Amino acid sequence: MPTVDEISSQLRQLGGYEKWLGKREIQALTTILWEAEQVTGGVQGLYGSRMGLLVATDRRLIFLDKSMTGRLRVEDFPYDKITSIQYETGWIQGKICIYASGNRADITAITKAQVQPFAETIRARISGGSAPTVTTASAPEDLATRIDRLANLHRAGALSDEEFSAAKAKVLAE
């Protein structure tokens, strides 16, 4: 099984992971991945009111969120069960809609630059095309975008007051 450092490194190289978010989820991912399953991409977003990671592997999509209390929520979407994937972007953020087995899952509050590349890669995978490694735009977010994203995470309960203050201070110091 891959280690936390290996998964974090893979996601950073793919452009869908920010080192100050998703640590609990990545820790949980080490026990969720199947034998020899490879992470090919990931984005952070909201599923319902829960902040977590949407991770693409060579076998499936997995949304996972682990709360500070230790509660783990995992939903996986095997590629052969996904019938459609849609996306939309707004001024700062976007969303991905996954249709699988007659259900719809909306992952929102995803960084705008990551939405289209991630969704198009999954679309290619489910339409029988090759499944390239998910890559996302690596253009740096401006200060306002980063703080807005933190504020959304804080409002959603993904960041405590202390975590929000610390992350905001870090962004401002960069």
Side-chain angles (χ1 to χ4, degrees), residues 72-149:
L72 178 64
R73 175 180 168 192
V74 177
E75 188 163 346
D76 74 338
F77 307 91
Y79 290 124
D80 65 344
K81 302 292 184 206
I82 299 173
T83 55
S84 177
I85 189 160
Q86 298 176 353
Y87 63 90
E88 61 184 72
T89 58
W91 186 57
I92 296 174
Q93 298 176 335
K95 94 176 174 182
I96 294 175
C97 302
I98 303 163
Y99 295 87
S101 302
N103 296 311
R104 174 180 166 163
D106 292 337
I107 314 299
T108 61
I110 301 169
T111 301
K112 178 181 177 178
Q114 297 175 338
V115 172
Q116 182 178 0
F118 188 88
E120 290 295 344
T121 301
I122 302 308
R123 182 175 284 149
R125 171 78 187 223
I126 64 173
S127 67
S130 64
T133 298
V134 177
T135 57
T136 57
S138 59
E141 293 179 305
D142 68 16
L143 184 63
T145 301
R146 293 172 71 190
I147 291 175
D148 184 57
R149 187 155 193 250

Side-chain angles (χ1 to χ4, degrees), residues 8-50:
S8 296
S9 176
Q10 286 175 339
L11 289 173
R12 263 195 304 280
Q13 290 172 357
L14 297 167
Y17 168 71
E18 296 172 37
K19 61 184 175 187
W20 42 270
L21 293 174
K23 291 178 184 174
R24 291 185 300 270
E25 288 80 7
I26 291 173
Q27 179 68 44
L29 191 58
T30 63
T31 63
I32 294 167
L33 292 175
W34 297 332
E35 185 70 31
E37 187 173 18
Q38 296 294 313
V39 172
T40 60
V43 294
Q44 296 169 325
L46 285 170
Y47 184 18
S49 63
R50 307 292 296 202

